[in-house]
Amino acid sequence: MSLDAHTARRGRSFADRMMRRGPLEAIATTIIAAGVVMLMQPFSLTLYSWSFATTLFGTVLFTIVSKVRE
Protein backbone atom coordinates (compact mmCIF):
# COMPACT_ATOMS: atom_id res chain seq x y z
CA MET A 1 0.00 0.00 0.00
CA SER A 2 1.56 3.28 -1.05
CA LEU A 3 0.88 6.67 0.44
CA ASP A 4 0.90 9.77 -1.68
CA ALA A 5 2.50 13.00 -0.51
CA HIS A 6 -0.75 14.63 0.61
CA THR A 7 -1.80 11.94 3.07
CA ALA A 8 1.68 11.53 4.53
CA ARG A 9 1.87 15.13 5.87
CA ARG A 10 -1.78 15.66 6.79
CA GLY A 11 -1.38 15.88 10.57
CA ARG A 12 1.43 17.96 11.94
CA SER A 13 2.75 17.12 15.34
CA PHE A 14 2.93 19.65 18.16
CA ALA A 15 6.73 19.77 17.86
CA ASP A 16 6.48 20.57 14.13
CA ARG A 17 4.14 23.45 14.83
CA MET A 18 6.23 24.84 17.69
CA MET A 19 9.64 24.48 16.00
CA ARG A 20 8.87 27.17 13.47
CA ARG A 21 10.27 30.66 13.30
CA GLY A 22 7.14 32.61 14.24
CA PRO A 23 6.38 31.14 17.68
CA LEU A 24 10.05 30.90 18.64
CA GLU A 25 10.70 34.53 17.69
CA ALA A 26 7.71 35.55 19.81
CA ILE A 27 9.13 33.63 22.79
CA ALA A 28 12.59 35.18 22.32
CA THR A 29 11.11 38.67 22.03
CA THR A 30 9.09 38.12 25.21
CA ILE A 31 12.24 37.04 27.07
CA ILE A 32 14.08 40.15 25.87
CA ALA A 33 11.17 42.36 26.96
CA ALA A 34 11.08 40.65 30.37
CA GLY A 35 14.81 41.34 30.78
CA VAL A 36 14.31 45.03 29.98
CA VAL A 37 11.41 45.27 32.44
CA MET A 38 13.56 43.57 35.08
CA LEU A 39 16.27 46.14 34.40
CA MET A 40 13.94 49.12 34.79
CA GLN A 41 11.97 48.08 37.88
CA PRO A 42 12.96 49.73 41.20
CA PHE A 43 11.71 47.07 43.65
CA SER A 44 13.92 43.99 43.61
CA LEU A 45 17.69 43.86 43.48
CA THR A 46 17.53 40.17 42.53
CA LEU A 47 15.46 40.90 39.42
CA TYR A 48 17.84 43.73 38.54
CA SER A 49 20.81 41.40 38.99
CA TRP A 50 19.38 38.82 36.59
CA SER A 51 18.16 41.34 34.01
CA PHE A 52 21.33 41.39 31.91
CA ALA A 53 21.54 37.59 31.78
CA THR A 54 17.87 37.37 30.81
CA THR A 55 18.21 39.97 28.07
CA LEU A 56 21.38 38.32 26.79
CA PHE A 57 19.70 34.89 26.73
CA GLY A 58 16.75 36.29 24.79
CA THR A 59 19.07 37.97 22.30
CA VAL A 60 21.09 34.79 21.73
CA LEU A 61 17.88 32.79 21.40
CA PHE A 62 16.53 35.28 18.85
CA THR A 63 19.77 35.05 16.86
CA ILE A 64 19.60 31.26 16.81
CA VAL A 65 15.87 31.22 15.98
CA SER A 66 16.40 33.54 13.03
CA LYS A 67 18.27 30.66 11.38
CA VAL A 68 15.36 28.21 11.80
CA ARG A 69 13.21 27.33 8.78
CA GLU A 70 10.03 29.24 8.04
Side-chain angles (χ1 to χ4, degrees):
M1 180 171 143
S2 68
L3 295 172
D4 70 358
H6 297 294
T7 59
R9 288 293 288 171
R10 180 180 298 161
R12 287 190 137 151
S13 69
F14 180 72
D16 280 346
R17 283 181 282 157
M18 286 306 295
M19 292 303 292
R20 298 187 60 101
R21 185 181 293 181
L24 292 176
E25 279 183 350
I27 291 169
T29 304
T30 303
I31 292 172
I32 293 169
V36 171
V37 168
M38 289 165 61
L39 179 67
M40 297 168 69
Q41 58 82 31
F43 305 113
S44 173
L45 186 59
T46 304
L47 289 178
Y48 179 79
S49 299
W50 281 95
S51 64
F52 177 74
T54 305
T55 307
L56 182 64
F57 175 72
T59 304
V60 170
L61 183 64
F62 190 87
T63 304
I64 292 169
V65 165
S66 67
K67 310 297 185 220
V68 173
R69 64 184 161 92
E70 288 280 333

